[in-house]
Amino acid sequence: MGKRGCAVAITMIMVMWLASLTAATSRRSMLTNSLGMTPPMGWNSWNHFGCNIDEKMIKETADALVSTGLSKLGYVYVNIDDCWAEISRDDEGNLVPKKSTFPSGIKALADYVHSKGLKLGVYSDAGYFTCSKRMPGSLGHEEQDAKTFASWGIDYLKYDNCHNDGSKPIERYPVMTRALMKAGHPIFFSVCEWGDMHPAEWGAHVGNSWRTTNDISDTWDSMISRADQNEVYAEYARPGGWNDPDMLEVGNGGMTKDEYIVHFSLWAISKAPLLLGCDIRNMTKETMEIVANEEVIAVNQDPYGFQAKKVRMEGDQEIWAAALSGYRVAVVLLNRGPVRYSVTARWDDIGLDPKSVVEARDIWEHKTLETRFVGNLTATLDSHSCKMYVLKPIA
């Protein structure tokens, strides 16, 4: 098969992937903010700090995103999670930044973050209180809060689902969508409904991303189960709207290096938001090497926006694959079992013609393999580890 034939084969695969997205795309009628054309990248305070946050730490995190070079790689959102506001609104019903921890106010913090070339995000809830119960939710105050966020220069809103009135999320979340659209400042809308009522099926109508899972924790079982749950909805992801299996745990210490590499690989190939959840100010060299891998990030940020599917599962051995721009395919060979194992990716599973001659780029080792592969590619993997390749037909 010649180079032209390979290109035709890959083009057909991409056409099929595009066709599968038509239904989801056609639903997009409410949210038209032109944000999130690739998955958002940045940092969120919750996984490492919980409620122990203040403006000094947020500023230091913004500084660290710049000084480490992470901002140049695309990590631009600095997102404050729960616990940033006082428990009571002011006399006019406005949210009030917590004086003991954010004495300068959120607008001043946004100005500081923007001065670094970054974007600031905040958190609220489609209920009467946020999940911590330490600050008010936005239920019944959607327009007021959206105008407040816009006046502060907020760029991202994570919108949780705790302590609500019992009505369906599909009734409550669009109220904030409409409020944000009228607020006068573009705000990325992260729907955090936890996947309870299949938000992937209606999220494109409401937000720029939607949580497909409950909260992640810093363990292998939690991480891999979130990846599994998220993969089911791959057909709904596309530029402007992304499935969200929750934030990254890389660097928080609960998993091994290999497990964190699996974590980052699966989030990247799944076109998930890459929101770091560790202490950026004190990252190890190992953590930095993982989260700053430009080739893996490029897979996540590929303009076609195709989310990976599991194309083959044999016990604990899995192949995840996603079409990329430039007639390429990204592949993760995964061993999720307890022992060393050999894993094979077959061309007919990942959308390549079986006779295609393929160049394989190992994007964790940063090297193009000397061997040219026909029909399949095999790697021997340790327990809880993976290989990630970008495959390109050359003949």
Side-chain angles (χ1 to χ4, degrees):
M1 188 180 197
K3 187 176 289 187
R4 181 180 178 185
C6 291
V8 170
I10 297 294
T11 300
M12 289 301 295
I13 293 297
M14 291 180 176
V15 167
M16 288 188 285
W17 280 68
L18 283 168
S20 73
L21 302 178
T22 301
T25 304
S26 67
R27 294 190 183 100
R28 190 174 187 79
S29 58
M30 185 183 298
L31 188 73
T32 53
N33 60 15
S34 300
L35 298 176
M37 299 313 289
T38 58
M41 296 175 61
W43 171 86
N44 179 284
S45 62
W46 185 258
N47 283 355
H48 189 87
F49 295 97
C51 281
N52 298 315
I53 56 174
D54 58 44
E55 65 182 42
K56 178 176 180 292
M57 183 269 287
I58 300 298
K59 287 181 177 180
E60 289 174 352
T61 298
D63 293 343
L65 285 173
V66 174
S67 65
T68 58
L70 288 172
S71 62
K72 290 184 178 179
L73 299 180
Y75 294 99
V76 295
Y77 285 103
V78 180
N79 292 344
I80 309 169
D81 211 281
D82 204 350
C83 308
W84 59 266
E86 297 285 2
I87 187 63
S88 299
R89 294 172 179 268
D90 67 16
D91 292 341
E92 296 179 351
N94 296 309
L95 290 168
V96 179
K98 197 170 183 180
K99 293 179 182 178
S100 62
T101 50
F102 293 90
S104 302
I106 301 300
K107 186 182 187 306
L109 188 55
D111 290 344
Y112 182 87
V113 169
H114 292 157
S115 75
K116 300 289 181 178
L118 305 171
K119 300 177 183 295
L120 187 70
V122 292
Y123 165 99
S124 190
D125 189 284
Y128 298 117
F129 293 95
T130 61
C131 294
S132 71
K133 272 195 160 182
R134 298 191 187 186
M135 58 176 277
S138 291
L139 186 62
H141 292 266
E142 290 87 353
E143 286 204 19
Q144 186 173 15
D145 290 353
K147 288 178 181 177
T148 296
F149 299 149
S151 71
W152 289 344
I154 296 302
D155 306 294
Y156 186 112
L157 175 63
K158 176 183 173 182
Y159 203 48
D160 224 328
N161 195 31
C162 289
H163 308 299
N164 59 70
D165 61 0
S167 61
K168 293 181 179 180
I170 191 59
E171 298 171 0
R172 284 178 286 113
Y173 278 87
V175 181
M176 181 56 84
T177 303
R178 289 188 288 268
L180 292 173
M181 294 304 295
K182 295 193 296 183
H185 179 75
I187 297 176
F188 184 103
F189 191 27
S190 171
V191 172
C192 187
E193 184 266 5
W194 319 321
D196 285 358
M197 297 192 72
H198 307 287
E201 297 177 358
W202 47 267
H205 187 61
V206 177
N208 297 109
S209 67
W210 41 86
R211 276 280 291 282
T212 53
T213 72
N214 212 319
D215 288 1
I216 195 172
S217 59
D218 190 16
T219 68
W220 169 263
D221 288 342
S222 175
M223 179 274 292
I224 205 72
S225 67
R226 277 25 174 206
D228 291 340
Q229 294 161 24
N230 189 64
E231 185 266 348
V232 173
Y233 301 106
E235 67 187 83
Y236 293 97
R238 74 281 178 273
W242 308 103
N243 292 313
D244 176 10
D246 206 4
M247 299 163 290
L248 292 162
E249 292 281 8
V250 182
N252 280 330
M255 288 184 260
T256 67
K257 179 181 179 180
D258 281 348
E259 289 172 341
Y260 280 139
I261 287 174
V262 170
H263 183 12
F264 199 73
S265 298
L266 293 181
W267 263 236
I269 200 171
S270 298
K271 306 304 187 290
L274 297 183
L275 296 175
L276 303 172
C278 61
D279 187 349
I280 303 296
R281 303 167 302 173
N282 296 295
M283 285 192 303
T284 64
K285 180 181 179 182
E286 182 178 281
T287 296
M288 185 66 181
E289 287 175 352
I290 294 172
V291 303
N293 187 320
E294 295 185 52
E295 294 188 74
V296 179
I297 291 171
V299 169
N300 179 260
Q301 298 289 297
D302 186 80
Y304 281 11
F306 293 129
Q307 179 175 325
K309 292 285 291 180
K310 295 184 193 181
V311 297
R312 181 178 286 267
M313 296 176 285
E314 296 179 350
D316 290 323
Q317 287 67 54
E318 295 179 352
I319 306 299
W320 297 56
L324 299 176
S325 57
Y327 307 111
R328 300 167 301 146
V329 178
V331 181
V332 169
L333 284 65
L334 172 62
N335 176 13
R336 55 195 292 166
V339 297
R340 188 173 171 85
Y341 206 88
S342 180
V343 183
T344 298
R346 298 169 175 82
W347 284 191
D348 54 356
D349 289 332
I350 64 177
L352 292 170
D353 186 283
K355 297 178 181 178
S356 294
V357 179
V358 170
E359 176 184 273
R361 175 77 176 174
D362 185 327
I363 60 175
W364 280 109
E365 297 293 333
H366 301 295
K367 65 180 181 182
T368 301
L369 305 188
E370 293 184 7
T371 302
R372 297 298 181 259
F373 299 88
V374 180
N376 62 76
L377 181 154
T378 298
T380 300
L381 305 174
D382 291 332
S383 170
H384 291 191
S385 71
C386 72
K387 281 285 190 179
M388 190 171 186
Y389 301 100
V390 171
L391 306 180
K392 184 176 182 179
I394 56 174

